[in-house]
Amino acid sequence: MMLQTVEFDKTASVEWYFDEMKAVFDRIDRQPIHAAIDALHQARLDGRQIFIMGNGGSASTATHMVCDLAKNTRHDAWPHYKVIGMADNMAIFSAYGNDDGYDNVFRLQLANLLNPGDIVVAISTSGNSPNVLRAVELANERGATVIGMTGFGAGKLGPMVDIHLHVPSECIEQVEDIHLMLEHLITKALREMTQGG
């Protein structure tokens, strides 16, 4: 079988991506970003745990955020973050998935660890990931503060969270790009709050 290259205007595709990213940035509501920074800073002061979850590319963003909060915000005069990635322990993740169904892989981990006043960061580009939604239901029942990161139309997750970081885009790559940018922005702000800069 002969493979045939499809006619494709790379220049137009590249320019569209950059132009659309700029437009999406302008549509993002800044207030929830400030609220997320404040909630995470208070969690640090109060010694609260922070749980971060997502699937696929969002799992990578969750892991990245765990690393950044744990390492890049350290300061000798301030408490360190107690941050846990819910997609990082493959043994427990796969055990729950195998025995209790994939919809429960985050909820059952939270059930063991979550206390009232803790923070749950739930990342779902569609806002409709069943395992994220089930975990957020538990977080709400337990009195945790939920920070949601969504894209597209925000799905079912948007109305379930306390602080909603929504990326108003229908392009999954751009939603994931901006979720990672937001976690970097938040980490940088939290670090600077301890350094007076």
Side-chain angles (χ1 to χ4, degrees):
M1 184 173 99
M2 286 278 289
L3 295 177
Q4 199 168 12
T5 303
V6 176
E7 282 296 321
F8 177 66
D9 186 346
K10 293 186 292 297
T11 301
S13 180
V14 169
E15 292 307 313
W16 176 88
Y17 203 92
F18 279 108
D19 290 344
E20 184 59 20
M21 283 290 278
K22 292 173 192 172
V24 173
F25 282 133
D26 289 340
R27 295 195 299 267
I28 293 173
D29 184 356
R30 273 44 168 188
Q31 189 281 328
I33 301 171
H34 293 281
I37 293 166
D38 290 342
L40 289 166
H41 183 65
Q42 193 62 48
R44 175 184 209 159
L45 297 177
D46 295 342
R48 302 294 187 185
Q49 301 177 103
I50 299 163
F51 301 92
I52 310 178
M53 71 187 79
N55 296 288
S58 296
S60 295
T61 301
T63 296
H64 197 129
M65 189 172 186
V66 169
C67 176
D68 287 349
L69 282 179
K71 180 182 181 296
N72 295 342
T73 62
R74 291 177 304 163
H75 191 289
D76 289 343
W78 290 77
H80 295 180
Y81 274 104
K82 299 176 180 179
V83 57
I84 300 160
M86 307 306 291
D88 293 339
N89 185 327
M90 196 58 205
I92 194 69
F93 188 94
S94 60
Y96 283 137
N98 186 63
D99 297 342
D100 298 286
Y102 192 72
D103 288 0
N104 292 302
V105 293
F106 298 135
R107 181 184 178 93
L108 292 175
Q109 289 184 75
L110 284 182
N112 292 340
L113 302 169
L114 187 66
N115 296 313
D118 286 341
I119 303 272
V120 173
V121 180
I123 309 172
S124 173
T125 57
S126 69
N128 290 318
S129 303
N131 55 6
V132 172
L133 297 175
R134 287 188 54 75
V136 168
E137 287 171 357
L138 177 68
N140 288 333
E141 291 165 10
R142 291 269 180 99
T145 296
V146 181
I147 300 171
M149 299 174 74
T150 68
F152 297 87
K156 296 175 183 175
L157 182 60
M160 295 173 68
V161 305
D162 300 295
I163 300 169
H164 186 198
L165 305 179
H166 180 241
V167 178
S169 172
E170 301 292 317
C171 176
I172 189 168
E173 293 84 3
Q174 293 186 340
V175 173
E176 291 182 348
D177 287 342
I178 296 174
H179 282 170
L180 185 59
M181 188 272 314
L182 287 172
E183 85 83 7
H184 280 151
L185 182 162
I186 289 166
T187 298
K188 182 176 184 293
L190 292 167
R191 181 174 67 246
E192 290 175 347
M193 289 172 78
T194 67
Q195 297 172 343

